[in-house]
PDB file of all heavy atoms in Angstrom:
ATOM      1  N   VAL A 141      10.985 -20.552  25.498  1.00  0.00           N
ATOM      2  CA  VAL A 141      12.208 -20.832  26.265  1.00  0.00           C
ATOM      3  C   VAL A 141      12.030 -20.353  27.704  1.00  0.00           C
ATOM      4  O   VAL A 141      12.356 -21.081  28.645  1.00  0.00           O
ATOM      5  CB  VAL A 141      13.440 -20.180  25.601  1.00  0.00           C
ATOM      6  CG1 VAL A 141      14.681 -20.362  26.466  1.00  0.00           C
ATOM      7  CG2 VAL A 141      13.674 -20.761  24.208  1.00  0.00           C
ATOM      8  N   ILE A 142      11.487 -19.156  27.892  1.00  0.00           N
ATOM      9  CA  ILE A 142      11.303 -18.647  29.259  1.00  0.00           C
ATOM     10  C   ILE A 142      10.244 -19.466  29.998  1.00  0.00           C
ATOM     11  O   ILE A 142      10.368 -19.724  31.198  1.00  0.00           O
ATOM     12  CB  ILE A 142      10.996 -17.131  29.282  1.00  0.00           C
ATOM     13  CG1 ILE A 142      11.221 -16.549  30.690  1.00  0.00           C
ATOM     14  CG2 ILE A 142       9.591 -16.825  28.844  1.00  0.00           C
ATOM     15  CD1 ILE A 142      12.638 -16.477  31.111  1.00  0.00           C
ATOM     16  N   ALA A 143       9.220 -19.932  29.283  1.00  0.00           N
ATOM     17  CA  ALA A 143       8.201 -20.780  29.914  1.00  0.00           C
ATOM     18  C   ALA A 143       8.833 -22.077  30.418  1.00  0.00           C
ATOM     19  O   ALA A 143       8.546 -22.521  31.543  1.00  0.00           O
ATOM     20  CB  ALA A 143       7.070 -21.081  28.933  1.00  0.00           C
ATOM     21  N   GLU A 144       9.694 -22.696  29.613  1.00  0.00           N
ATOM     22  CA  GLU A 144      10.380 -23.922  30.045  1.00  0.00           C
ATOM     23  C   GLU A 144      11.308 -23.634  31.223  1.00  0.00           C
ATOM     24  O   GLU A 144      11.411 -24.433  32.159  1.00  0.00           O
ATOM     25  CB  GLU A 144      11.162 -24.534  28.880  1.00  0.00           C
ATOM     26  CG  GLU A 144      11.798 -25.856  29.220  1.00  0.00           C
ATOM     27  CD  GLU A 144      12.482 -26.537  28.036  1.00  0.00           C
ATOM     28  OE1 GLU A 144      12.207 -26.177  26.873  1.00  0.00           O
ATOM     29  OE2 GLU A 144      13.308 -27.438  28.296  1.00  0.00           O
ATOM     30  N   PHE A 145      11.984 -22.495  31.190  1.00  0.00           N
ATOM     31  CA  PHE A 145      12.870 -22.077  32.271  1.00  0.00           C
ATOM     32  C   PHE A 145      12.091 -22.032  33.593  1.00  0.00           C
ATOM     33  O   PHE A 145      12.507 -22.582  34.605  1.00  0.00           O
ATOM     34  CB  PHE A 145      13.457 -20.696  31.944  1.00  0.00           C
ATOM     35  CG  PHE A 145      14.449 -20.183  32.942  1.00  0.00           C
ATOM     36  CD1 PHE A 145      15.801 -20.425  32.777  1.00  0.00           C
ATOM     37  CD2 PHE A 145      14.040 -19.427  34.027  1.00  0.00           C
ATOM     38  CE1 PHE A 145      16.724 -19.938  33.697  1.00  0.00           C
ATOM     39  CE2 PHE A 145      14.942 -18.938  34.947  1.00  0.00           C
ATOM     40  CZ  PHE A 145      16.293 -19.192  34.785  1.00  0.00           C
ATOM     41  N   ILE A 146      10.918 -21.393  33.556  1.00  0.00           N
ATOM     42  CA  ILE A 146      10.099 -21.240  34.759  1.00  0.00           C
ATOM     43  C   ILE A 146       9.514 -22.586  35.190  1.00  0.00           C
ATOM     44  O   ILE A 146       9.587 -22.954  36.373  1.00  0.00           O
ATOM     45  CB  ILE A 146       8.989 -20.196  34.516  1.00  0.00           C
ATOM     46  CG1 ILE A 146       9.621 -18.802  34.352  1.00  0.00           C
ATOM     47  CG2 ILE A 146       7.963 -20.207  35.647  1.00  0.00           C
ATOM     48  CD1 ILE A 146       8.672 -17.746  33.825  1.00  0.00           C
ATOM     49  N   GLN A 147       8.943 -23.333  34.249  1.00  0.00           N
ATOM     50  CA  GLN A 147       8.306 -24.623  34.578  1.00  0.00           C
ATOM     51  C   GLN A 147       9.309 -25.637  35.118  1.00  0.00           C
ATOM     52  O   GLN A 147       8.955 -26.498  35.923  1.00  0.00           O
ATOM     53  CB  GLN A 147       7.585 -25.173  33.358  1.00  0.00           C
ATOM     54  CG  GLN A 147       6.351 -24.377  33.002  1.00  0.00           C
ATOM     55  CD  GLN A 147       5.770 -24.763  31.645  1.00  0.00           C
ATOM     56  OE1 GLN A 147       6.344 -25.568  30.911  1.00  0.00           O
ATOM     57  NE2 GLN A 147       4.631 -24.167  31.312  1.00  0.00           N
ATOM     58  N   SER A 148      10.551 -25.539  34.681  1.00  0.00           N
ATOM     59  CA  SER A 148      11.583 -26.468  35.151  1.00  0.00           C
ATOM     60  C   SER A 148      12.136 -26.069  36.508  1.00  0.00           C
ATOM     61  O   SER A 148      12.985 -26.769  37.061  1.00  0.00           O
ATOM     62  CB  SER A 148      12.730 -26.530  34.139  1.00  0.00           C
ATOM     63  OG  SER A 148      12.260 -27.008  32.909  1.00  0.00           O
ATOM     64  N   GLY A 149      11.707 -24.922  37.024  1.00  0.00           N
ATOM     65  CA  GLY A 149      12.178 -24.475  38.330  1.00  0.00           C
ATOM     66  C   GLY A 149      13.594 -23.938  38.313  1.00  0.00           C
ATOM     67  O   GLY A 149      14.277 -23.946  39.341  1.00  0.00           O
ATOM     68  N   MET A 150      14.042 -23.479  37.154  1.00  0.00           N
ATOM     69  CA  MET A 150      15.397 -22.933  37.079  1.00  0.00           C
ATOM     70  C   MET A 150      15.466 -21.594  37.813  1.00  0.00           C
ATOM     71  O   MET A 150      14.461 -20.917  38.000  1.00  0.00           O
ATOM     72  CB  MET A 150      15.821 -22.772  35.626  1.00  0.00           C
ATOM     73  CG  MET A 150      16.028 -24.083  34.916  1.00  0.00           C
ATOM     74  SD  MET A 150      16.778 -23.820  33.304  1.00  0.00           S
ATOM     75  CE  MET A 150      16.153 -25.243  32.443  1.00  0.00           C
ATOM     76  N   SER A 151      16.685 -21.207  38.187  1.00  0.00           N
ATOM     77  CA  SER A 151      16.914 -20.018  38.996  1.00  0.00           C
ATOM     78  C   SER A 151      17.607 -18.917  38.199  1.00  0.00           C
ATOM     79  O   SER A 151      18.499 -19.188  37.389  1.00  0.00           O
ATOM     80  CB  SER A 151      17.780 -20.386  40.204  1.00  0.00           C
ATOM     81  OG  SER A 151      18.246 -19.229  40.857  1.00  0.00           O
TER      82      SER A 151
END
Side-chain angles (χ1 to χ4, degrees):
V141 175
I142 197 70
E144 185 175 342
F145 183 92
I146 292 168
Q147 290 170 355
S148 298
M150 291 189 208
S151 168

